[in-house]
Amino acid sequence: DAGVTQSPTHLIKTRGQQVTLRCSPKSGHDTVSWYQQALGQGPQFIFQYYEEEERQRGNFPDRFSGHQFPNYSSELNVNALLLGDSALYLCASRLTGTGGANGYTFGSGTRLTVV
Amino acid sequence: AQSVTQLGSHVSVSEGALVLLRCNYSSSVPPYLFWYVQYPNQGLQLLLKYTTGATLVKGINGFEAEFKKSETSFHLTKPSAHMSDAAEYFCAVLIAYGQNFVFGPGTRLSVLP
């Protein structure tokens, strides 16, 4: 049973560019959340998608946007990249209604480096 | 707003010694509490969680944690450290179903031979 799959695993971008990160949730899961983990820090919540809509959002600027597709997979887009966007981006999925505390599964993340 | 503090950004113990990683939380309602471990260049792996019921929770790899409401704490312990325990450990809270995690800053555990 495949868990959460994220791609690519590593990425290097230049300041000002745009980037798209991808996440395939665990089989049977329908809700996807994204987290940013800067070096030496804990993950910080970016946003959550359910039924192809953004349901919750953390304290991140509009440069961060996302999308969820009918197959529940999700993308995270970041525009006008800053050096401070360099981080590990984690995706987590769960099945709505099953008891969120028990149902979260994290992917291995995408390491984004902005130069 | 919820917050999580972890005392000690870096903890070193000798192999075979007791591991104690501290976590305190701030929440207006009783939260669900979690410990995650992260090995280098990997994602987060759930060690254990407290939702309801018994306040002493046992997890994987010999770790356990005790929820103390009066102290707003959820400290992680292991009686005897192993070299393979060296990793980053994150405490997290979840206020309600459907909400999202608030993570602490993490504690890096080093195990010395």
Side-chain angles (χ1 to χ4, degrees), chain A residues 89-108:
Chain A
Y89 288 84
L90 295 166
C91 173
S93 72
R94 69 180 179 90
L95 175 60
T96 296
T98 58
N102 294 321
Y104 287 93
T105 301
F106 280 86
S108 297

Side-chain angles (χ1 to χ4, degrees), chain B:
Chain B
Q2 305 82 35
S3 66
V4 178
T5 56
Q6 293 182 241
L7 185 62
S9 60
H10 185 203
V11 171
S12 291
V13 301
S14 298
E15 190 173 20
L18 171 71
V19 175
L20 171 60
L21 304 182
R22 299 179 186 274
C23 172
N24 289 88
Y25 67 90
S26 167
S27 173
S28 57
V29 298
Y32 303 116
L33 296 157
F34 300 76
W35 276 99
Y36 281 89
V37 61
Q38 186 176 40
Y39 297 99
N41 301 313
Q42 294 190 26
L44 298 174
Q45 180 182 2
L46 180 65
L47 274 179
L48 50 78
K49 61 181 182 288
Y50 168 79
T51 54
T52 58
T55 56
L56 181 62
V57 181
K58 295 187 184 299
I60 63 172
N61 302 337
F63 284 95
E64 63 181 37
E66 186 172 9
F67 169 54
K68 292 186 176 180
K69 184 178 178 181
S70 62
E71 299 178 7
T72 60
S73 69
F74 191 55
H75 301 329
L76 181 71
T77 60
K78 181 174 180 177
S80 177
H82 191 272
M83 296 296 287
S84 62
D85 295 327
E88 189 87 20
Y89 291 80
F90 294 95
C91 182
V93 301
L94 189 66
I95 299 306
Y97 294 157
Q99 299 303 308
N100 291 282
F101 291 103
V102 174
F103 285 91
T107 296
R108 182 162 58 94
L109 176 66
S110 296
V111 181
L112 308 175

Side-chain angles (χ1 to χ4, degrees), chain A residues 34-36 44-47 56-58 60 64 76 89:
Chain A
W34 287 91
Y35 291 80
Q36 180 196 65
Q44 303 232 335
F45 171 65
I46 303 175
F47 42 53
Q56 298 178 48
R57 189 178 182 91
F60 279 80
F64 290 77
L76 164 65
Y89 288 84

Side-chain angles (χ1 to χ4, degrees), chain A residues 6-11 21-22 87-89 108-112:
Chain A
Q6 293 188 242
S7 63
T9 55
H10 295 83
L11 200 54
L21 312 181
R22 295 176 176 81
L88 179 68
Y89 288 84
S108 297
T110 293
R111 173 74 63 186
L112 172 65

